[in-house]
Structures are given as C-alpha cells and as structure tokens.
Amino acid sequence: MRFNFALFDKNKAMEAKDTYPEVEKWYVAGHSLGGVAASAYAYENPKEAEGIIPPRFISQ
C-alpha cells in the first residue's frame, strides 16, 4: 500500500504539464510536504518550472 504523500509524488507536476501543453510558463507551489515536493521538483527540473510560489502567497 502506498501512502498518499506529496513528497512521494513530486513528479506529479509533469502530469499537469502534459495535460495542458498550451501553458508556456509553469510555477510550482505547495504547503508543508507539498512545498518540499514542489521545491525538489523545481530544483531537479530547472527547465520545467519558472519558479516557486511561497506558501504565504497561496490563498486559503
């Protein structure tokens, strides 16, 4: 059984990019472990993400 943690699915952003190929610039964001996953994705894929949106700028 696999846990549903964002940290284990940090390449989920690639699925979103494949679903919306018309979007040219992508930014990643996340809260808590999702933020860790977003940061890791942006770091490991610098040509795939324009940047990271810090949690304080994500509306709740």
Side-chain angles (χ1 to χ4, degrees):
M1 178 177 191
R2 186 173 160 179
F3 293 108
N4 189 18
F5 288 126
L7 186 60
F8 297 142
D9 255 344
K10 64 184 174 189
N11 289 321
K12 201 79 165 161
M14 196 62 80
E15 288 181 31
K17 289 189 71 170
D18 291 342
T19 303
Y20 301 99
E22 67 277 5
V23 176
E24 296 178 9
K25 293 185 178 184
W26 286 90
Y27 292 83
V28 293
H31 181 267
S32 192
L33 285 178
V36 173
S39 298
Y41 177 81
Y43 179 78
E44 294 170 5
N45 301 282
K47 294 181 180 178
E48 300 295 328
E50 291 288 320
I52 301 168
I53 300 172
R56 67 176 179 243
F57 294 110
I58 300 172
S59 65
Q60 296 181 15

